[in-house]
Amino acid sequence: MQVADRLQKIPPYLFVTLRNKIAKARAEGVDVINLGVGDPVDPTPQSVIDELCRQAQDPINHQYPIDEEKGMLAFRQEVAKWYARRYGVELQPEGEVLGLIGSKEGCHHFILGVVNPGDVVLMTDPGYPAYRASIYMGTAEPYHMPMLAQKNYFPDFDQIPPAILKRAKAMFLNYPNNPTGACATRAFFSRAVEFARAHDIAVCHDNPYSEILFDGQEALSFLSVPGAKDVGIELNSLSKPYNMTGWRLGMAVGNKQILAALCKVKENTDSGIFNAIQYAGIQALKLEDRNIPKMMEIYVRRRNLVLETFSKIGLPFTPQKGTFYLWIPVPRGKNSIDFTTALFEKAAVVVAAGTAYGQHGEGYIRISLTVPDRRLEEAMERIRKVF
Ligand SMILES: Cc1ncc(COP(=O)(O)O)c(C=O)c1O
């Protein structure tokens, strides 16, 4: 049976490889603690669950979703209000907002909507691996822009060769950033708008961690800088601010032309999101801003515990201010894989190797704070004992 060539270019998804490794160790009786995956274990707010149950009882909602590929108007209106309230960004629910099955879906359909075979798509290295996979599935070519600590984790657009710029048609950016935790500034976003305009590049700013911020960091949308709507869209999601990763609900906002292309792809692919989930999403956006500070209290506590532990074992580091990931430099003389392997073999703690996010992730590991307190405490205790 033939398998598509484009799939051959995509390495196995990071978390599938991790899952297999963990399953094998667990089958051998090892109590593995997995700090490799960013998937909140804390529950979705009760009001959201109640609304889902209520709406699921109504047979009207058992039919194809209202406004299918666009997302229902009531959901799009609530997204527009949320963007105005939290980021000061004005959006028209008709044309400037789409419902998504999570922001990951948006990344993929953005590519199918804007690139042609052989085009180049710019992405950062390290970066979220799904961007690269979507670029390959769109039969385009990724160009990796290094994202380095010494450059405050901003790509240097001036370093991109002219031959690449000529072929570049789209670009993924992502702040607060997975895996580094770095946050953007308005100045950087303005520079990105200017760059995209000069080279006619469609921008997809992926912002699912917009609310996971520490140390007084300001919540920022790409669309809050002048001109952003002319060059790009932003993806966001209910996964992280409301502990709703399993619900698969997100949104794309911004440039009408790009959104119309994305919508055309969706119209012919997925037929939209279950109405009851969209109603529950409205509830989250409308009522559950109050969940965010409560959730952040938990992450602050867990983050402090990891900082304290790494300090105690002689590996102090200064964390970035966004996401529920910590991007931690490995000990001198070790590389990402060495340190990841040592943590697994000596402490049965799984972390993600920095190189899983690209070659410029070398020298780092990523720890996720989305595990129960008790398990994180146990993991940190094991690490303190063996290092
Ligand atoms: C940068 C980034 N974008 C998108 C996603 C996917 O989020 P969603 O659940 O909204 O599809 C993730 C999930 O980890 C992510 O880290």
Side-chain angles (χ1 to χ4, degrees), residues 38 101-105 107 128 131 174 178 206 208-209 237 239-240 245 248 325:
I101 308 167
S103 56
K104 190 176 187 182
E105 183 245 288
C107 296
Y128 178 51
Y131 303 142
N174 159 231
N178 176 11
D206 184 23
Y209 299 96
S237 169
S239 287
K240 274 78 187 194
T245 46
R248 314 309 305 133
Y325 304 113

PDB file of all heavy atoms in Angstrom, residues 38 101-105 107 128 131 174 178 206 208-209 237 239-240 245 248 325, ligand 1:
ATOM      1  N   GLY A  38       2.574  19.134  27.781  1.00  0.00           N
ATOM      2  CA  GLY A  38       1.827  20.293  28.279  1.00  0.00           C
ATOM      3  C   GLY A  38       0.334  20.065  28.145  1.00  0.00           C
ATOM      4  O   GLY A  38      -0.264  20.443  27.132  1.00  0.00           O
ATOM      5  N   ILE A 101     -11.209  23.994  15.688  1.00  0.00           N
ATOM      6  CA  ILE A 101     -11.135  22.792  16.526  1.00  0.00           C
ATOM      7  C   ILE A 101      -9.766  22.813  17.213  1.00  0.00           C
ATOM      8  O   ILE A 101      -8.903  21.958  17.004  1.00  0.00           O
ATOM      9  CB  ILE A 101     -11.325  21.523  15.665  1.00  0.00           C
ATOM     10  CG1 ILE A 101     -12.609  21.670  14.825  1.00  0.00           C
ATOM     11  CG2 ILE A 101     -11.397  20.264  16.515  1.00  0.00           C
ATOM     12  CD1 ILE A 101     -12.753  20.645  13.716  1.00  0.00           C
ATOM     13  N   GLY A 102      -9.524  23.852  18.003  1.00  0.00           N
ATOM     14  CA  GLY A 102      -8.209  24.050  18.635  1.00  0.00           C
ATOM     15  C   GLY A 102      -7.280  24.805  17.706  1.00  0.00           C
ATOM     16  O   GLY A 102      -7.468  24.826  16.483  1.00  0.00           O
ATOM     17  N   SER A 103      -6.250  25.417  18.298  1.00  0.00           N
ATOM     18  CA  SER A 103      -5.368  26.232  17.449  1.00  0.00           C
ATOM     19  C   SER A 103      -4.496  25.349  16.555  1.00  0.00           C
ATOM     20  O   SER A 103      -4.037  25.785  15.503  1.00  0.00           O
ATOM     21  CB  SER A 103      -4.527  27.202  18.275  1.00  0.00           C
ATOM     22  OG  SER A 103      -3.780  26.536  19.233  1.00  0.00           O
ATOM     23  N   LYS A 104      -4.279  24.094  16.958  1.00  0.00           N
ATOM     24  CA  LYS A 104      -3.474  23.195  16.108  1.00  0.00           C
ATOM     25  C   LYS A 104      -4.136  23.010  14.741  1.00  0.00           C
ATOM     26  O   LYS A 104      -3.460  23.011  13.706  1.00  0.00           O
ATOM     27  CB  LYS A 104      -3.324  21.846  16.807  1.00  0.00           C
ATOM     28  CG  LYS A 104      -2.339  20.913  16.175  1.00  0.00           C
ATOM     29  CD  LYS A 104      -2.224  19.673  17.043  1.00  0.00           C
ATOM     30  CE  LYS A 104      -1.127  18.747  16.577  1.00  0.00           C
ATOM     31  NZ  LYS A 104      -1.095  17.534  17.417  1.00  0.00           N
ATOM     32  N   GLU A 105      -5.459  22.873  14.763  1.00  0.00           N
ATOM     33  CA  GLU A 105      -6.196  22.766  13.495  1.00  0.00           C
ATOM     34  C   GLU A 105      -5.971  24.027  12.654  1.00  0.00           C
ATOM     35  O   GLU A 105      -5.751  23.956  11.438  1.00  0.00           O
ATOM     36  CB  GLU A 105      -7.695  22.579  13.784  1.00  0.00           C
ATOM     37  CG  GLU A 105      -8.531  22.393  12.531  1.00  0.00           C
ATOM     38  CD  GLU A 105      -9.511  23.518  12.284  1.00  0.00           C
ATOM     39  OE1 GLU A 105     -10.506  23.619  13.013  1.00  0.00           O
ATOM     40  OE2 GLU A 105      -9.293  24.290  11.342  1.00  0.00           O
ATOM     41  N   CYS A 107      -3.404  26.019  12.609  1.00  0.00           N
ATOM     42  CA  CYS A 107      -2.051  26.065  12.024  1.00  0.00           C
ATOM     43  C   CYS A 107      -2.053  25.305  10.696  1.00  0.00           C
ATOM     44  O   CYS A 107      -1.517  25.763   9.686  1.00  0.00           O
ATOM     45  CB  CYS A 107      -1.035  25.362  12.931  1.00  0.00           C
ATOM     46  SG  CYS A 107      -0.821  26.125  14.525  1.00  0.00           S
ATOM     47  N   TYR A 128       7.314  24.904  17.931  1.00  0.00           N
ATOM     48  CA  TYR A 128       6.281  23.875  18.105  1.00  0.00           C
ATOM     49  C   TYR A 128       6.317  22.932  16.892  1.00  0.00           C
ATOM     50  O   TYR A 128       6.156  23.393  15.743  1.00  0.00           O
ATOM     51  CB  TYR A 128       4.944  24.600  18.215  1.00  0.00           C
ATOM     52  CG  TYR A 128       3.698  23.763  18.351  1.00  0.00           C
ATOM     53  CD1 TYR A 128       3.598  22.760  19.305  1.00  0.00           C
ATOM     54  CD2 TYR A 128       2.588  24.015  17.541  1.00  0.00           C
ATOM     55  CE1 TYR A 128       2.419  22.026  19.437  1.00  0.00           C
ATOM     56  CE2 TYR A 128       1.418  23.298  17.672  1.00  0.00           C
ATOM     57  CZ  TYR A 128       1.347  22.296  18.614  1.00  0.00           C
ATOM     58  OH  TYR A 128       0.188  21.574  18.745  1.00  0.00           O
ATOM     59  N   TYR A 131       4.079  22.904  13.505  1.00  0.00           N
ATOM     60  CA  TYR A 131       4.201  23.854  12.378  1.00  0.00           C
ATOM     61  C   TYR A 131       4.925  23.173  11.219  1.00  0.00           C
ATOM     62  O   TYR A 131       4.524  23.257  10.065  1.00  0.00           O
ATOM     63  CB  TYR A 131       5.002  25.109  12.765  1.00  0.00           C
ATOM     64  CG  TYR A 131       4.467  25.895  13.935  1.00  0.00           C
ATOM     65  CD1 TYR A 131       5.334  26.477  14.860  1.00  0.00           C
ATOM     66  CD2 TYR A 131       3.104  26.071  14.123  1.00  0.00           C
ATOM     67  CE1 TYR A 131       4.863  27.205  15.940  1.00  0.00           C
ATOM     68  CE2 TYR A 131       2.626  26.791  15.205  1.00  0.00           C
ATOM     69  CZ  TYR A 131       3.508  27.348  16.116  1.00  0.00           C
ATOM     70  OH  TYR A 131       3.048  28.053  17.182  1.00  0.00           O
ATOM     71  N   ASN A 174       5.080  32.644  17.483  1.00  0.00           N
ATOM     72  CA  ASN A 174       4.366  32.109  18.645  1.00  0.00           C
ATOM     73  C   ASN A 174       4.949  32.690  19.937  1.00  0.00           C
ATOM     74  O   ASN A 174       6.048  32.331  20.335  1.00  0.00           O
ATOM     75  CB  ASN A 174       4.470  30.565  18.600  1.00  0.00           C
ATOM     76  CG  ASN A 174       4.244  29.884  19.937  1.00  0.00           C
ATOM     77  OD1 ASN A 174       5.061  29.048  20.365  1.00  0.00           O
ATOM     78  ND2 ASN A 174       3.174  30.209  20.588  1.00  0.00           N
ATOM     79  N   ASN A 178       6.237  28.418  23.018  1.00  0.00           N
ATOM     80  CA  ASN A 178       6.535  27.023  23.313  1.00  0.00           C
ATOM     81  C   ASN A 178       7.693  26.637  22.394  1.00  0.00           C
ATOM     82  O   ASN A 178       7.545  26.762  21.175  1.00  0.00           O
ATOM     83  CB  ASN A 178       5.306  26.156  22.995  1.00  0.00           C
ATOM     84  CG  ASN A 178       5.574  24.677  23.178  1.00  0.00           C
ATOM     85  OD1 ASN A 178       6.599  24.288  23.736  1.00  0.00           O
ATOM     86  ND2 ASN A 178       4.649  23.844  22.722  1.00  0.00           N
ATOM     87  N   ASP A 206       0.524  32.378  16.549  1.00  0.00           N
ATOM     88  CA  ASP A 206      -0.163  31.337  17.321  1.00  0.00           C
ATOM     89  C   ASP A 206      -0.044  31.726  18.799  1.00  0.00           C
ATOM     90  O   ASP A 206       1.052  31.759  19.351  1.00  0.00           O
ATOM     91  CB  ASP A 206       0.565  30.015  17.002  1.00  0.00           C
ATOM     92  CG  ASP A 206      -0.094  28.820  17.648  1.00  0.00           C
ATOM     93  OD1 ASP A 206      -1.300  28.898  17.958  1.00  0.00           O
ATOM     94  OD2 ASP A 206       0.604  27.794  17.832  1.00  0.00           O
ATOM     95  N   PRO A 208      -1.829  30.524  21.847  1.00  0.00           N
ATOM     96  CA  PRO A 208      -2.666  29.802  22.814  1.00  0.00           C
ATOM     97  C   PRO A 208      -2.253  29.986  24.273  1.00  0.00           C
ATOM     98  O   PRO A 208      -3.014  29.635  25.173  1.00  0.00           O
ATOM     99  CB  PRO A 208      -2.520  28.328  22.399  1.00  0.00           C
ATOM    100  CG  PRO A 208      -1.216  28.251  21.711  1.00  0.00           C
ATOM    101  CD  PRO A 208      -1.039  29.584  21.028  1.00  0.00           C
ATOM    102  N   TYR A 209      -1.043  30.540  24.506  1.00  0.00           N
ATOM    103  CA  TYR A 209      -0.598  30.752  25.900  1.00  0.00           C
ATOM    104  C   TYR A 209      -0.785  32.204  26.325  1.00  0.00           C
ATOM    105  O   TYR A 209      -0.135  32.655  27.267  1.00  0.00           O
ATOM    106  CB  TYR A 209       0.875  30.345  26.048  1.00  0.00           C
ATOM    107  CG  TYR A 209       1.102  28.881  25.731  1.00  0.00           C
ATOM    108  CD1 TYR A 209       1.524  28.476  24.465  1.00  0.00           C
ATOM    109  CD2 TYR A 209       0.843  27.906  26.686  1.00  0.00           C
ATOM    110  CE1 TYR A 209       1.691  27.131  24.162  1.00  0.00           C
ATOM    111  CE2 TYR A 209       1.013  26.560  26.392  1.00  0.00           C
ATOM    112  CZ  TYR A 209       1.431  26.182  25.139  1.00  0.00           C
ATOM    113  OH  TYR A 209       1.588  24.847  24.850  1.00  0.00           O
ATOM    114  N   SER A 237      -7.008  29.880  21.717  1.00  0.00           N
ATOM    115  CA  SER A 237      -7.609  28.605  22.083  1.00  0.00           C
ATOM    116  C   SER A 237      -8.154  28.644  23.501  1.00  0.00           C
ATOM    117  O   SER A 237      -7.632  29.362  24.353  1.00  0.00           O
ATOM    118  CB  SER A 237      -6.507  27.552  21.982  1.00  0.00           C
ATOM    119  OG  SER A 237      -6.909  26.347  22.542  1.00  0.00           O
ATOM    120  N   SER A 239      -8.058  25.913  25.197  1.00  0.00           N
ATOM    121  CA  SER A 239      -7.357  24.777  25.815  1.00  0.00           C
ATOM    122  C   SER A 239      -6.653  25.159  27.107  1.00  0.00           C
ATOM    123  O   SER A 239      -6.789  24.480  28.117  1.00  0.00           O
ATOM    124  CB  SER A 239      -6.296  24.222  24.863  1.00  0.00           C
ATOM    125  OG  SER A 239      -6.889  23.513  23.811  1.00  0.00           O
ATOM    126  N   LYS A 240      -5.868  26.227  27.055  1.00  0.00           N
ATOM    127  CA  LYS A 240      -4.982  26.527  28.185  1.00  0.00           C
ATOM    128  C   LYS A 240      -5.623  27.418  29.244  1.00  0.00           C
ATOM    129  O   LYS A 240      -5.545  27.081  30.427  1.00  0.00           O
ATOM    130  CB  LYS A 240      -3.677  27.128  27.675  1.00  0.00           C
ATOM    131  CG  LYS A 240      -2.631  26.111  27.288  1.00  0.00           C
ATOM    132  CD  LYS A 240      -2.844  25.460  25.968  1.00  0.00           C
ATOM    133  CE  LYS A 240      -1.866  24.334  25.732  1.00  0.00           C
ATOM    134  NZ  LYS A 240      -1.802  23.880  24.361  1.00  0.00           N
ATOM    135  N   THR A 245      -8.174  21.329  27.065  1.00  0.00           N
ATOM    136  CA  THR A 245      -7.445  20.747  25.919  1.00  0.00           C
ATOM    137  C   THR A 245      -8.258  19.664  25.203  1.00  0.00           C
ATOM    138  O   THR A 245      -8.220  19.561  23.983  1.00  0.00           O
ATOM    139  CB  THR A 245      -6.084  20.156  26.356  1.00  0.00           C
ATOM    140  OG1 THR A 245      -6.288  19.391  27.543  1.00  0.00           O
ATOM    141  CG2 THR A 245      -5.066  21.222  26.640  1.00  0.00           C
ATOM    142  N   ARG A 248     -11.313  20.633  22.395  1.00  0.00           N
ATOM    143  CA  ARG A 248     -10.956  21.039  21.036  1.00  0.00           C
ATOM    144  C   ARG A 248     -11.759  22.272  20.584  1.00  0.00           C
ATOM    145  O   ARG A 248     -12.651  22.187  19.741  1.00  0.00           O
ATOM    146  CB  ARG A 248     -11.123  19.879  20.018  1.00  0.00           C
ATOM    147  CG  ARG A 248     -10.563  18.545  20.429  1.00  0.00           C
ATOM    148  CD  ARG A 248      -9.111  18.620  20.905  1.00  0.00           C
ATOM    149  NE  ARG A 248      -8.236  19.239  19.940  1.00  0.00           N
ATOM    150  CZ  ARG A 248      -7.338  20.190  20.283  1.00  0.00           C
ATOM    151  NH1 ARG A 248      -7.206  20.601  21.534  1.00  0.00           N
ATOM    152  NH2 ARG A 248      -6.592  20.729  19.352  1.00  0.00           N
ATOM    153  N   TYR A 325       5.714  26.156  30.648  1.00  0.00           N
ATOM    154  CA  TYR A 325       6.927  25.376  30.442  1.00  0.00           C
ATOM    155  C   TYR A 325       8.108  26.105  31.037  1.00  0.00           C
ATOM    156  O   TYR A 325       8.148  27.336  31.038  1.00  0.00           O
ATOM    157  CB  TYR A 325       7.205  25.187  28.947  1.00  0.00           C
ATOM    158  CG  TYR A 325       6.064  24.558  28.193  1.00  0.00           C
ATOM    159  CD1 TYR A 325       5.353  25.289  27.239  1.00  0.00           C
ATOM    160  CD2 TYR A 325       5.683  23.248  28.447  1.00  0.00           C
ATOM    161  CE1 TYR A 325       4.300  24.715  26.549  1.00  0.00           C
ATOM    162  CE2 TYR A 325       4.627  22.675  27.763  1.00  0.00           C
ATOM    163  CZ  TYR A 325       3.935  23.412  26.818  1.00  0.00           C
ATOM    164  OH  TYR A 325       2.884  22.844  26.146  1.00  0.00           O
TER     165      TYR A 325
HETATM  166  C1  LIG B   1       2.420  26.581  20.369  1.00  0.00           C
HETATM  167  C2  LIG B   1       1.216  25.724  20.386  1.00  0.00           C
HETATM  168  N1  LIG B   1       0.260  25.928  19.472  1.00  0.00           N
HETATM  169  C3  LIG B   1      -0.850  25.181  19.442  1.00  0.00           C
HETATM  170  C4  LIG B   1      -1.055  24.171  20.363  1.00  0.00           C
HETATM  171  C5  LIG B   1      -2.316  23.363  20.265  1.00  0.00           C
HETATM  172  O1  LIG B   1      -3.284  23.907  21.049  1.00  0.00           O
HETATM  173  P1  LIG B   1      -4.826  23.535  20.855  1.00  0.00           P
HETATM  174  O2  LIG B   1      -5.164  22.635  21.984  1.00  0.00           O
HETATM  175  O3  LIG B   1      -5.518  24.835  20.902  1.00  0.00           O
HETATM  176  O4  LIG B   1      -4.958  22.868  19.534  1.00  0.00           O
HETATM  177  C6  LIG B   1      -0.098  23.915  21.341  1.00  0.00           C
HETATM  178  C7  LIG B   1      -0.302  22.829  22.298  1.00  0.00           C
HETATM  179  O5  LIG B   1       0.514  22.420  23.061  1.00  0.00           O
HETATM  180  C8  LIG B   1       1.074  24.710  21.348  1.00  0.00           C
HETATM  181  O6  LIG B   1       2.031  24.512  22.247  1.00  0.00           O
END
